Amino acid sequence: MEGAATALAAPPLSLRKGQIALILSPNSVHFPVAALAAMSLGAVLTTANPLNTPAEIAKQVADARPVVAFTTRDLLPKLPRAGAGAGIRVVLLEPDRLPSDPSPVVATIGEISATPPDPTRRRDRVTQDDPATLLYSSGTTGPSKGVVATHRSLISMVQIIMSRFRLEASNRTETFLCTVPMFHVYGLVAFAT
């Protein structure tokens, strides 16, 4: 993950503390790598339901203003091409790039994961009180709204799960089947952070 963070911090991605990184993906082993690498830089993570319509995703992009988006090749057409979505640098959650990939694609998860860590890289101090996520509500009482959670609140949620399943003192290897969506706060905390 340190190599992925190094790649995200370097050009052409140049992800910085306080900037927004979007993940638009179904559950994937690449989801936690993208989430943790971005949050380790102090970037704020926003996730979108891959079943959302392009209009719903465009509304979230216009509100959150991400500078980097992680997505799959199949979901790439759902990202806005103009207006509020223009200028988003895209990392495909795929091992390799294809010659047919459009210009917003600047890297793949395979490429950034293969980047060697740079011990000389400038690192911003990320504290527990810094924003970690900007997750959008389901909009049950009106339009969907962005809800900010700090690193401290994510750590607290992870600790609750660890305690609930008695994992904190366990020396045995546990295997879990992830059936909840990782774009949702429960899946994000339980399986991706």
Side-chain angles (χ1 to χ4, degrees):
M1 190 203 56
E2 186 61 32
T6 294
L8 289 177
L13 292 162
S14 304
L15 187 60
R16 299 285 179 257
K17 181 178 180 179
Q19 292 182 320
I20 307 294
L22 167 72
I23 299 181
L24 173 62
S25 174
N27 285 4
S28 161
V29 296
H30 303 302
F31 201 112
V33 173
L36 292 172
M39 287 191 299
S40 76
L41 297 173
V44 180
L45 187 67
T46 191
T47 59
N49 184 339
L51 297 178
N52 281 357
T53 66
E56 291 168 324
I57 293 166
K59 182 181 179 300
Q60 183 174 338
V61 165
D63 185 62
R65 296 187 309 275
V67 297
V68 171
F70 298 91
T71 192
T72 63
R73 199 169 274 115
D74 291 341
L75 292 171
L76 191 57
K78 286 191 170 190
L79 286 176
R81 294 264 186 242
I88 298 175
R89 298 174 299 276
V90 175
V91 177
L92 286 180
L93 296 176
E94 313 277 351
D96 300 305
R97 230 186 288 199
L98 298 178
S100 60
D101 288 336
S103 62
V105 175
V106 296
T108 66
I109 196 73
E111 292 167 354
I112 69 169
S113 295
T115 303
D118 180 1
T120 64
R121 169 174 65 87
R122 180 184 159 268
R123 298 166 193 259
D124 289 318
R125 184 169 186 258
V126 180
T127 71
Q128 289 187 19
D129 293 321
D130 287 331
T133 60
L134 175 62
L135 303 179
Y136 281 75
S137 70
S138 60
T140 55
T141 61
S144 181
K145 299 164 202 61
V147 179
V148 176
T150 63
H151 288 272
R152 183 183 313 277
S153 63
L154 291 183
I155 291 166
S156 297
M157 288 185 272
V158 168
Q159 285 302 120
I160 290 168
I161 291 169
M162 298 288 289
S163 175
R164 168 65 181 92
F165 292 104
R166 296 181 179 92
L167 300 173
E168 64 278 344
S170 175
N171 288 334
R172 63 183 191 266
T173 301
E174 299 286 347
T175 302
F176 294 89
L177 180 62
C178 179
T179 58
V180 294
M182 289 181 185
F183 69 82
H184 187 274
V185 67
Y186 182 40
L188 181 67
V189 168
F191 294 98
T193 53

